[in-house]
């Protein structure tokens, strides 16, 4: 077994092993549980660093195992997966720290952290999947491993939310399965490779490919919360804050968007998808989701509910990026995989912190929080403004590339759409910031009993992701920024596709 | 001074190390200050030293400081550049911010709180970035920082009025940002470049809707008539030093945007130019009348800013409509920014001085100084306003008869009447206070330092007043502003004075109502009421839901029941979660082991 094959395996194992051990450990072994989980998370980040350097040097990390003749389980580290995997590994480490602080004293922690690790493993598998079959396996595993996290509280409301989640996710998974079978039967085994592999079949199987695409997008659209398949997302908000953070930023919703990206870019190929007339409808779907999701977020009083609707709109930006079809827009979509993650996770950390520290769960109750918890509020402000698209923060870099890319490809409506989304986003973000910083509370908040405004385990991850949000925008031109990486990826995709010259920026 | 000249930057060779350092320091000092001021203790210390932050930028005003700096790792390859347009504006901006910083401790409650110090320094940093940016993204970033920091300045007093004003400010500002995002992206795509100069040139290649979006987007910030309603609410609501920089510098960011990005001199845009000129001219007169009907001096001054911005819109519109007018138009706009920046800052700081003098008489010095600033704006002989008017005449003349002639000979001079009317009333109100105060009836104020304005506040006021008087003459040889035909000639004096006589005459003849007839924010008030009424009448999603929901629910219940059942079964299976998880995990591990084994 070569080192190149071991890496994908290790990426999986660093969360799978802790998952099994934690589930087997008795509830009271908190220290062992935490150490093990953190050890797994830290070693995963280290492995990701190795993978990044390796891929930058042109190495391929691939593991292949024939399950059946013609049906391989393929795990491969490539350009686009690296974006997703790095994001997952980093945010997972931070969220682990956060969850340890958030759940302190809670019951059922063994179950929680066990499944927590299991869902990381599933996410890693989704990220590494080298063909549709592998993707499908881990996509289903992701559903099953996150369900216990969603219903963690165990009350009626949690169970109802979990049921909705499961119903949607299982239906989506089945659709995906159908699509995979249809494709396999029609064109044989296909892999996910930069630039797409279906170009040769476009003429013979045009209708099939369109049908498969519709099913694939529908199946993944459930997780990506494309309208009208988004119904589960607001209901799944019953989950504890760290879970919501992960569901929205990395695991479930992001996995859906990531799946759509890979289907368009690595399965069909941008040009083939364009030729088949698939991108226009996808762009329309993304645009509608962007506007309606943001509009629904306006006025939602529950902080997490507002963030949930906001996710629907924000993740649609990723889909929009690939659907616009140009290189610059693709860069915008890819980089938003990362940007949406760090922005939204910051806001969920904020929601969880004020909930734990002050018992606040509604926007209208945030008055005076800025003075009581300035650090948390400051982090939320950075992330909130970034989501609006205020430069020089991360969200702006995304919106700029999407608008510019759209305009360059003659989609004049794209800049207008993004302008409108800026307005809508501002309409649901700014009231949070205004209330938090400027409104006077009915009665003063009790001072913190600790040295800091909240437990350091809650604050440190929040500050870290807020700093990433600032850094990803301010230092977008620097060599290791998400933007630079997304530009490299887009370049590689285009080389794979047609060898065309790429200028990420005009 | 056509667009290629303005941003001759793109052709400039990278400059020497000292200049690079100076440019970076000028922008970085205030921004770094705003970051460290997040800590309350630091903010309290910095509050007295705010006036230091703009000083590095002042050094860039010397002619030798021309050149560009590339920071490829910052944003999307940031480029900062100092050019002929930026230098005079930097000088004005830096001095006005120095004055605001000097006056802040005396005129702002809670001046040492992080929320003021951070917002003040961030707004300064954003403002300087707007002036020095040579690429689109950096420009937009500076603009956004200025916008959002400006919000915190407007909301600073935390009163109901301040909330109301801040909300209006923010709503308009976000609208402006959205228009700009769309406009800038379209423009950059058209030009296939992010350099400001290239973008203006690219838009000049053919008529493009992006130019309209940019006119409107920057128009919100500048306070163009129709997009101005936030301004008369926001500027008076902010603490006095903040009002001074809002009216003196912030709205000028919009003007800089027009001049830098609209393809003036590249292409004739009769429609766009016509709209800008019409709104500008209407704005000059309408805002002056609306302002004169107010009773609060700061609100009047804010309306005066809207009125004055109309003059720039006229210049920019002429430059857009007729390429030949562009050189004069941009030069006039630059000159205007300098003159109005100093004069309006003087007038605002003057109201602060008057308020802190409390029950004492504001004094003849103050009265005289305010009158001088007002006269400068109204276009009195030898003042900067007169030079601006000369430039406007020259620009409108290029439009050709009959419109150009009428504009040149009648309308442009006539704008002086509007300014004289409005600012005359501001000065008269102050004079009235001068008479009535002292007897104890005068407008007592809760402003800090009610024992009288401190030396710092007085010197701040004196500084910008000196700027208002002297700067146009200092800058004149260096800007490409129109050479005044002969500002000492008798004819020019007559032409400058008759409109003022009309304005002041109207002021004397009309009996002004004691209370404000038009509410501040004008258009916003009926619009807001209409929106509220519409909101009340609209059945809302709730009503729709109550009709559609039962049917939908029945259908979905029916369909959902079978799914639910299936899920229930699954749930029961998953009931023993830990066991299931263990099983799944072990299965996966086995799979992995098999993979490894297969490989070995």
């Amino acid at each position: 077994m070569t080192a190149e094959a071991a890496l994908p395996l290790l990426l999986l194992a660093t969360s799978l092993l802790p998952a099994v051990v934690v589930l087997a450990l008795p509830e009271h072994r908190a220290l062992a549980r935490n150490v093990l989980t953190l050890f797994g998370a830290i070693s995963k980040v280290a492995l990701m660093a190795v993978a990044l350097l390796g891929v930058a040097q042109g190495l391929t990390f691939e593991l292949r195992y024939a399950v059946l003749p013609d049906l391989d389980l393929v795990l491969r580290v490539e350009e686009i997966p690296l974006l997703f995997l790095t994001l997952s590994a980093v945010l997972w480490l931070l969220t682990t720290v956060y969850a340890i602080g958030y759940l302190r004293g809670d019951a059922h922690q063994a179950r929680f952290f066990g499944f927590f690790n299991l869902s990381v493993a599933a996410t890693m598998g989704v990220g590494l999947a080298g063909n549709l079959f592998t993707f499908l396996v881990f996509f289903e595993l992701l559903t099953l491993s996150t369900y216990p996290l969603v219903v963690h509280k165990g009350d009626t409301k949690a169970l109802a939310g979990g049921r909705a989640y499961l119903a949607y996710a299982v239906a989506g998974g089945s659709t995906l399965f159908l699509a995979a079978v249809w494709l396999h039967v029609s064109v044989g085994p296909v892999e996910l490779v930069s630039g797409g592999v279906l170009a040769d079949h476009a003429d013979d199987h045009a209708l099939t490919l369109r049908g498969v695409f519709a099913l694939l997008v529908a199946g993944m659209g459930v997780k990506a919360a494309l309208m009208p398949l988004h119904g589960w997302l607001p209901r799944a908000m019953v989950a504890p804050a760290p879970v919501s953070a992960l569901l929205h930023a990395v695991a479930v919703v992001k996995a859906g968007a990531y799946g759509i990206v890979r289907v368009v870019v690595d399965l069909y190929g941008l040009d083939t998808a364009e030729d088949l007339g698939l991108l226009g409808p996808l762009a329309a779907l993304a645009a509608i989701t962007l506007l309606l999701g943001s509009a629904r977020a306006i006025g939602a009083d529950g902080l997490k509910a507002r963030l949930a609707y906001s996710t629907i709109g924000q993740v649609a930006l990723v889909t929009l990026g690939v659907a616009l079809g140009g290189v610059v827009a693709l860069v915008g979509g890819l980089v938003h995989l990362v940007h949406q993650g760090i922005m939204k996770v910051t806001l969920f950390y904020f929601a969880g912190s004020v909930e734990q520290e002050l018992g606040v769960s509604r926007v209208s109750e945030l008055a005076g929080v800025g003075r009581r918890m300035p650090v948390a509020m400051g982090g939320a402000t950075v992330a909130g403004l970034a989501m609006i698209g205020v430069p020089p923060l991360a969200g702006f870099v995304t919106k700029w590339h999407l608008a510019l890319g759209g305009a360059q490809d003659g989609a004049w409506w794209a800049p207008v759409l993004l302008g409108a989304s800026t307005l809508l986003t501002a309409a649901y973000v700014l009231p949070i910031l205004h209330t938090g910083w400027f409104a006077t509370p009915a009665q003063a908040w009790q001072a913190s009993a600790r040295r800091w405004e909240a437990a350091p385990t809650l604050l440190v991850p929040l500050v870290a992701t807020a700093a990433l949000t600032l850094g990803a925008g301010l230092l977008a031109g620097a060599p290791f920024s998400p933007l630079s990486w997304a530009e490299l990826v887009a370049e590689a995709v285009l080389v794979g596709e047609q060898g065309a010259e790429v200028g990420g920026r005009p | 001074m056509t667009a290629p000249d303005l941003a001759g930057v793109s052709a400039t060779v990278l400059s020497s190390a000292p200049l690079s350092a100076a440019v970076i320091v000028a922008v970085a000092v205030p921004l770094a200050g705003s970051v460290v001021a997040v800590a309350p203790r630091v903010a309290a210390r910095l509050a007295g030293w705010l006036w230091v932050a703009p000083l590095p930028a002042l050094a860039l005003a010397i002619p030798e400081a021309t050149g560009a700096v590339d920071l490829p790792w910052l944003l999307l390859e940031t480029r900062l550049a100092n050019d002929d347009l930026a230098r005079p504006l930097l000088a004005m901006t830096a001095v006005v911010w120095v004055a605001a910083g000097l006056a802040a401790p005396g005129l702002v409650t809670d001046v040492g709180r992080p929320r003021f110090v951070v917002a003040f320094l961030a707004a300064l940093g954003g403002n300087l970035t707007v002036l020095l940016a040579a690429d689109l993204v950096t420009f937009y970033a500076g603009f956004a920082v200025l916008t959002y920091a400006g919000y915190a300045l407007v909301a600073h007093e935390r009163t109901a009025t301040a909330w109301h004003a801040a909300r209006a400010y923010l709503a308009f500002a976000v609208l402006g940002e959205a228009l700009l995002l769309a406009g800038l992206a379209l423009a950059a795509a058209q030009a296939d470049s992010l350099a400001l100069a290239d973008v203006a040139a690219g838009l000049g290649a053919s008529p493009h809707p992006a130019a309209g979006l940019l006119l409107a987007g920057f128009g919100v910030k500048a306070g163009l008539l129709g997009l101005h309603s936030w301004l008369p609410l926001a500027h008076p609501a902010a603490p006095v030093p903040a009002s001074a920089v809002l009216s003196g510098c912030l709205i000028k960011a919009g003007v800089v945007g027009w001049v830098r990005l609209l393809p003036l001199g590249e292409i004739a845009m009769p429609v766009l130019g016509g709209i800008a000129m019409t709104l500008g001219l209407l704005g000059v007169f309408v805002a002056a009348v609306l302002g004169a009907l107010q009773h609060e001096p700061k609100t009047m001054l804010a309306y005066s800013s809207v009125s004055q911005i109309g003059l720039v819109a006229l210049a920019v519109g002429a430059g857009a409509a007729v390429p030949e007018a562009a050189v004069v138009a941009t030069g006039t706009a630059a000159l205007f920014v300098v003159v109005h920046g100093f004069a309006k800052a003087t007038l605002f700081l003057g109201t602060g001085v008057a308020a802190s003098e409390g029950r004492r008489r504001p004094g003849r010095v103050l009265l005289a100084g305010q009158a001088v600033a007002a006269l400068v704006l109204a276009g009195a002989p030898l003042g900067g306003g007169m030079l601006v008017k000369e430039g406007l005449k020259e620009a409108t003349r290029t439009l050709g008869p009959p419109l150009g002639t009428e504009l040149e000979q009648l309308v442009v001079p006539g704008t002086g009447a509007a300014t004289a009317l409005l600012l005359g009333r501001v000065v008269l109100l102050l004079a009235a206070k001068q008479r009535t105060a002292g007897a104890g009836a005068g407008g007592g104020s809760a402003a800090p330092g009610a024992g009288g304005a401190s030396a710092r506040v007085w010197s701040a006021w004196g500084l910008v007043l000196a700027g208002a008087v002297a700067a146009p003459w200092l800058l004149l040889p260096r800007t490409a502003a129109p050479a005044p035909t002969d500002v000492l000639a008798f004819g020019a004096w007559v032409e400058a004075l008759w409109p003022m006589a009309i304005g002041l005459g109207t002021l004397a003849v009309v009996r002004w109502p004691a209370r404000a007839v038009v509410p501040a924010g004008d258009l916003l008030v009926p619009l807001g009421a209409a929106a509220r009424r519409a909101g009340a009448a609209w059945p809302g999603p709730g009503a729709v839901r109550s009709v559609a929901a039962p049917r939908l629910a029945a259908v979905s219940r029916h369909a959902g029941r079978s799914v639910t059942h299936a899920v229930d079964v699954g749930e029961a299976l998953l009931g023993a979660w830990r066991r299931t998880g263990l099983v799944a995990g072990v299965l996966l591990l086995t799979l992995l082991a098999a993979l490894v084994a297969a490989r070995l």
Side-chain angles (χ1 to χ4, degrees), chain A residues 23 25 65 147 434 474 477 505, chain B residues 75 77 151 571 577-578 592 595-596:
Chain A
L23 282 169
L25 275 176
Y65 175 69
Y147 170 74
H434 176 90
L474 198 59
R505 302 162 208 140
Chain B
L75 289 168
E77 300 181 0
Y151 167 77
E571 212 171 81
W577 286 323
R578 278 180 76 174
L592 283 186
L595 283 177
V596 177

PDB file of all heavy atoms in Angstrom, chain A residues 23 25 65 147 434 474 477 505, chain B residues 75 77 151 571 577-578 592 595-596:
ATOM      1  N   LEU A  23     -18.196   5.916  20.961  1.00  0.00           N
ATOM      2  CA  LEU A  23     -19.500   5.273  21.149  1.00  0.00           C
ATOM      3  C   LEU A  23     -19.401   4.120  22.140  1.00  0.00           C
ATOM      4  O   LEU A  23     -20.346   3.828  22.877  1.00  0.00           O
ATOM      5  CB  LEU A  23     -20.038   4.782  19.811  1.00  0.00           C
ATOM      6  CG  LEU A  23     -20.653   5.856  18.925  1.00  0.00           C
ATOM      7  CD1 LEU A  23     -20.903   5.333  17.524  1.00  0.00           C
ATOM      8  CD2 LEU A  23     -21.946   6.373  19.524  1.00  0.00           C
ATOM      9  N   LEU A  25     -17.148   3.945  24.617  1.00  0.00           N
ATOM     10  CA  LEU A  25     -16.753   4.428  25.945  1.00  0.00           C
ATOM     11  C   LEU A  25     -17.984   4.729  26.794  1.00  0.00           C
ATOM     12  O   LEU A  25     -18.993   5.199  26.268  1.00  0.00           O
ATOM     13  CB  LEU A  25     -15.940   5.714  25.820  1.00  0.00           C
ATOM     14  CG  LEU A  25     -14.441   5.613  25.567  1.00  0.00           C
ATOM     15  CD1 LEU A  25     -13.878   7.013  25.376  1.00  0.00           C
ATOM     16  CD2 LEU A  25     -13.746   4.921  26.710  1.00  0.00           C
ATOM     17  N   TYR A  65     -11.035   0.425  -4.812  1.00  0.00           N
ATOM     18  CA  TYR A  65     -11.367  -0.924  -4.368  1.00  0.00           C
ATOM     19  C   TYR A  65     -12.584  -1.398  -5.142  1.00  0.00           C
ATOM     20  O   TYR A  65     -13.630  -0.741  -5.124  1.00  0.00           O
ATOM     21  CB  TYR A  65     -11.662  -0.912  -2.864  1.00  0.00           C
ATOM     22  CG  TYR A  65     -12.137  -2.231  -2.335  1.00  0.00           C
ATOM     23  CD1 TYR A  65     -11.273  -3.320  -2.267  1.00  0.00           C
ATOM     24  CD2 TYR A  65     -13.443  -2.386  -1.902  1.00  0.00           C
ATOM     25  CE1 TYR A  65     -11.713  -4.525  -1.781  1.00  0.00           C
ATOM     26  CE2 TYR A  65     -13.898  -3.589  -1.411  1.00  0.00           C
ATOM     27  CZ  TYR A  65     -13.026  -4.663  -1.358  1.00  0.00           C
ATOM     28  OH  TYR A  65     -13.462  -5.858  -0.868  1.00  0.00           O
ATOM     29  N   TYR A 147     -28.644  12.419  11.713  1.00  0.00           N
ATOM     30  CA  TYR A 147     -29.994  12.391  12.293  1.00  0.00           C
ATOM     31  C   TYR A 147     -29.976  12.377  13.823  1.00  0.00           C
ATOM     32  O   TYR A 147     -30.662  13.189  14.465  1.00  0.00           O
ATOM     33  CB  TYR A 147     -30.780  11.204  11.727  1.00  0.00           C
ATOM     34  CG  TYR A 147     -32.072  10.953  12.437  1.00  0.00           C
ATOM     35  CD1 TYR A 147     -33.158  11.814  12.232  1.00  0.00           C
ATOM     36  CD2 TYR A 147     -32.227   9.893  13.327  1.00  0.00           C
ATOM     37  CE1 TYR A 147     -34.345  11.610  12.901  1.00  0.00           C
ATOM     38  CE2 TYR A 147     -33.406   9.686  13.993  1.00  0.00           C
ATOM     39  CZ  TYR A 147     -34.468  10.547  13.782  1.00  0.00           C
ATOM     40  OH  TYR A 147     -35.642  10.351  14.453  1.00  0.00           O
ATOM     41  N   HIS A 434     -27.894  46.000  14.634  1.00  0.00           N
ATOM     42  CA  HIS A 434     -28.391  47.229  15.250  1.00  0.00           C
ATOM     43  C   HIS A 434     -28.905  46.958  16.660  1.00  0.00           C
ATOM     44  O   HIS A 434     -28.561  47.666  17.605  1.00  0.00           O
ATOM     45  CB  HIS A 434     -29.489  47.832  14.379  1.00  0.00           C
ATOM     46  CG  HIS A 434     -30.113  49.049  14.981  1.00  0.00           C
ATOM     47  ND1 HIS A 434     -29.631  50.310  14.756  1.00  0.00           N
ATOM     48  CD2 HIS A 434     -31.141  49.181  15.841  1.00  0.00           C
ATOM     49  CE1 HIS A 434     -30.338  51.174  15.450  1.00  0.00           C
ATOM     50  NE2 HIS A 434     -31.271  50.522  16.109  1.00  0.00           N
ATOM     51  N   LEU A 474      -9.694  40.334   3.045  1.00  0.00           N
ATOM     52  CA  LEU A 474      -8.658  41.363   3.029  1.00  0.00           C
ATOM     53  C   LEU A 474      -7.419  40.868   2.297  1.00  0.00           C
ATOM     54  O   LEU A 474      -6.791  41.611   1.552  1.00  0.00           O
ATOM     55  CB  LEU A 474      -8.312  41.736   4.472  1.00  0.00           C
ATOM     56  CG  LEU A 474      -7.593  43.050   4.676  1.00  0.00           C
ATOM     57  CD1 LEU A 474      -8.419  44.207   4.140  1.00  0.00           C
ATOM     58  CD2 LEU A 474      -7.291  43.270   6.146  1.00  0.00           C
ATOM     59  N   GLY A 477      -5.755  38.404  -2.252  1.00  0.00           N
ATOM     60  CA  GLY A 477      -4.726  38.309  -3.272  1.00  0.00           C
ATOM     61  C   GLY A 477      -3.514  37.516  -2.838  1.00  0.00           C
ATOM     62  O   GLY A 477      -2.644  37.212  -3.656  1.00  0.00           O
ATOM     63  N   ARG A 505      -8.930  37.103 -12.737  1.00  0.00           N
ATOM     64  CA  ARG A 505      -9.380  38.490 -12.713  1.00  0.00           C
ATOM     65  C   ARG A 505      -9.070  39.102 -14.057  1.00  0.00           C
ATOM     66  O   ARG A 505      -8.111  38.710 -14.704  1.00  0.00           O
ATOM     67  CB  ARG A 505      -8.641  39.280 -11.635  1.00  0.00           C
ATOM     68  CG  ARG A 505      -8.813  38.698 -10.287  1.00  0.00           C
ATOM     69  CD  ARG A 505      -7.728  39.249  -9.389  1.00  0.00           C
ATOM     70  NE  ARG A 505      -7.437  38.281  -8.352  1.00  0.00           N
ATOM     71  CZ  ARG A 505      -6.233  38.023  -7.918  1.00  0.00           C
ATOM     72  NH1 ARG A 505      -5.203  38.659  -8.419  1.00  0.00           N
ATOM     73  NH2 ARG A 505      -6.045  37.143  -6.984  1.00  0.00           N
TER      74      ARG A 505
ATOM     75  N   LEU B  75      -6.632  42.447  -0.904  1.00  0.00           N
ATOM     76  CA  LEU B  75      -7.864  42.414  -1.692  1.00  0.00           C
ATOM     77  C   LEU B  75      -7.602  41.756  -3.045  1.00  0.00           C
ATOM     78  O   LEU B  75      -6.907  40.760  -3.121  1.00  0.00           O
ATOM     79  CB  LEU B  75      -8.416  43.830  -1.847  1.00  0.00           C
ATOM     80  CG  LEU B  75      -8.996  44.402  -0.564  1.00  0.00           C
ATOM     81  CD1 LEU B  75      -9.242  45.879  -0.694  1.00  0.00           C
ATOM     82  CD2 LEU B  75     -10.295  43.689  -0.226  1.00  0.00           C
ATOM     83  N   GLU B  77      -5.568  42.511  -5.541  1.00  0.00           N
ATOM     84  CA  GLU B  77      -4.419  43.245  -6.055  1.00  0.00           C
ATOM     85  C   GLU B  77      -4.639  44.753  -5.939  1.00  0.00           C
ATOM     86  O   GLU B  77      -4.892  45.442  -6.925  1.00  0.00           O
ATOM     87  CB  GLU B  77      -4.110  42.842  -7.496  1.00  0.00           C
ATOM     88  CG  GLU B  77      -3.806  41.361  -7.563  1.00  0.00           C
ATOM     89  CD  GLU B  77      -3.459  40.897  -8.977  1.00  0.00           C
ATOM     90  OE1 GLU B  77      -3.470  41.740  -9.887  1.00  0.00           O
ATOM     91  OE2 GLU B  77      -3.186  39.712  -9.144  1.00  0.00           O
ATOM     92  N   TYR B 151     -22.513  55.198   9.572  1.00  0.00           N
ATOM     93  CA  TYR B 151     -23.738  54.816  10.280  1.00  0.00           C
ATOM     94  C   TYR B 151     -23.553  54.922  11.788  1.00  0.00           C
ATOM     95  O   TYR B 151     -24.400  55.470  12.505  1.00  0.00           O
ATOM     96  CB  TYR B 151     -24.124  53.386   9.892  1.00  0.00           C
ATOM     97  CG  TYR B 151     -25.176  52.778  10.782  1.00  0.00           C
ATOM     98  CD1 TYR B 151     -26.508  53.150  10.639  1.00  0.00           C
ATOM     99  CD2 TYR B 151     -24.847  51.859  11.768  1.00  0.00           C
ATOM    100  CE1 TYR B 151     -27.478  52.601  11.453  1.00  0.00           C
ATOM    101  CE2 TYR B 151     -25.802  51.310  12.578  1.00  0.00           C
ATOM    102  CZ  TYR B 151     -27.121  51.684  12.423  1.00  0.00           C
ATOM    103  OH  TYR B 151     -28.078  51.146  13.236  1.00  0.00           O
ATOM    104  N   GLU B 571     -37.152   5.110  12.351  1.00  0.00           N
ATOM    105  CA  GLU B 571     -36.818   5.724  13.623  1.00  0.00           C
ATOM    106  C   GLU B 571     -36.752   4.669  14.725  1.00  0.00           C
ATOM    107  O   GLU B 571     -35.872   4.691  15.596  1.00  0.00           O
ATOM    108  CB  GLU B 571     -37.891   6.751  13.959  1.00  0.00           C
ATOM    109  CG  GLU B 571     -37.385   7.938  14.739  1.00  0.00           C
ATOM    110  CD  GLU B 571     -38.471   8.977  14.816  1.00  0.00           C
ATOM    111  OE1 GLU B 571     -39.351   8.831  15.664  1.00  0.00           O
ATOM    112  OE2 GLU B 571     -38.456   9.914  14.004  1.00  0.00           O
ATOM    113  N   TRP B 577     -29.753   4.326  19.503  1.00  0.00           N
ATOM    114  CA  TRP B 577     -28.819   5.046  18.639  1.00  0.00           C
ATOM    115  C   TRP B 577     -27.385   4.588  18.781  1.00  0.00           C
ATOM    116  O   TRP B 577     -26.675   4.374  17.833  1.00  0.00           O
ATOM    117  CB  TRP B 577     -28.894   6.547  18.959  1.00  0.00           C
ATOM    118  CG  TRP B 577     -30.115   7.174  18.440  1.00  0.00           C
ATOM    119  CD1 TRP B 577     -30.741   6.894  17.264  1.00  0.00           C
ATOM    120  CD2 TRP B 577     -30.869   8.188  19.075  1.00  0.00           C
ATOM    121  NE1 TRP B 577     -31.830   7.678  17.127  1.00  0.00           N
ATOM    122  CE2 TRP B 577     -31.945   8.497  18.228  1.00  0.00           C
ATOM    123  CE3 TRP B 577     -30.749   8.881  20.279  1.00  0.00           C
ATOM    124  CZ2 TRP B 577     -32.880   9.459  18.534  1.00  0.00           C
ATOM    125  CZ3 TRP B 577     -31.671   9.842  20.573  1.00  0.00           C
ATOM    126  CH2 TRP B 577     -32.739  10.116  19.726  1.00  0.00           C
ATOM    127  N   ARG B 578     -26.993   4.452  20.001  1.00  0.00           N
ATOM    128  CA  ARG B 578     -25.589   4.152  20.195  1.00  0.00           C
ATOM    129  C   ARG B 578     -25.245   2.809  19.571  1.00  0.00           C
ATOM    130  O   ARG B 578     -24.212   2.648  18.949  1.00  0.00           O
ATOM    131  CB  ARG B 578     -25.253   4.127  21.683  1.00  0.00           C
ATOM    132  CG  ARG B 578     -25.021   5.504  22.217  1.00  0.00           C
ATOM    133  CD  ARG B 578     -24.700   5.473  23.668  1.00  0.00           C
ATOM    134  NE  ARG B 578     -23.341   5.029  23.919  1.00  0.00           N
ATOM    135  CZ  ARG B 578     -22.817   5.050  25.147  1.00  0.00           C
ATOM    136  NH1 ARG B 578     -23.535   5.466  26.169  1.00  0.00           N
ATOM    137  NH2 ARG B 578     -21.590   4.664  25.327  1.00  0.00           N
ATOM    138  N   LEU B 592     -12.945  -0.590   5.678  1.00  0.00           N
ATOM    139  CA  LEU B 592     -11.637   0.036   5.532  1.00  0.00           C
ATOM    140  C   LEU B 592     -10.538  -1.009   5.650  1.00  0.00           C
ATOM    141  O   LEU B 592      -9.585  -1.015   4.874  1.00  0.00           O
ATOM    142  CB  LEU B 592     -11.440   1.102   6.596  1.00  0.00           C
ATOM    143  CG  LEU B 592     -12.157   2.427   6.355  1.00  0.00           C
ATOM    144  CD1 LEU B 592     -11.754   3.428   7.420  1.00  0.00           C
ATOM    145  CD2 LEU B 592     -11.819   2.965   4.978  1.00  0.00           C
ATOM    146  N   LEU B 595     -10.253  -2.822   2.612  1.00  0.00           N
ATOM    147  CA  LEU B 595      -9.556  -2.020   1.612  1.00  0.00           C
ATOM    148  C   LEU B 595      -8.055  -2.141   1.792  1.00  0.00           C
ATOM    149  O   LEU B 595      -7.300  -2.344   0.844  1.00  0.00           O
ATOM    150  CB  LEU B 595      -9.965  -0.551   1.743  1.00  0.00           C
ATOM    151  CG  LEU B 595     -11.325  -0.172   1.192  1.00  0.00           C
ATOM    152  CD1 LEU B 595     -11.607   1.288   1.471  1.00  0.00           C
ATOM    153  CD2 LEU B 595     -11.352  -0.430  -0.305  1.00  0.00           C
ATOM    154  N   VAL B 596      -7.652  -1.996   3.048  1.00  0.00           N
ATOM    155  CA  VAL B 596      -6.222  -2.066   3.334  1.00  0.00           C
ATOM    156  C   VAL B 596      -5.687  -3.432   2.951  1.00  0.00           C
ATOM    157  O   VAL B 596      -4.648  -3.556   2.291  1.00  0.00           O
ATOM    158  CB  VAL B 596      -5.969  -1.781   4.829  1.00  0.00           C
ATOM    159  CG1 VAL B 596      -4.491  -1.935   5.140  1.00  0.00           C
ATOM    160  CG2 VAL B 596      -6.445  -0.385   5.172  1.00  0.00           C
TER     161      VAL B 596
END
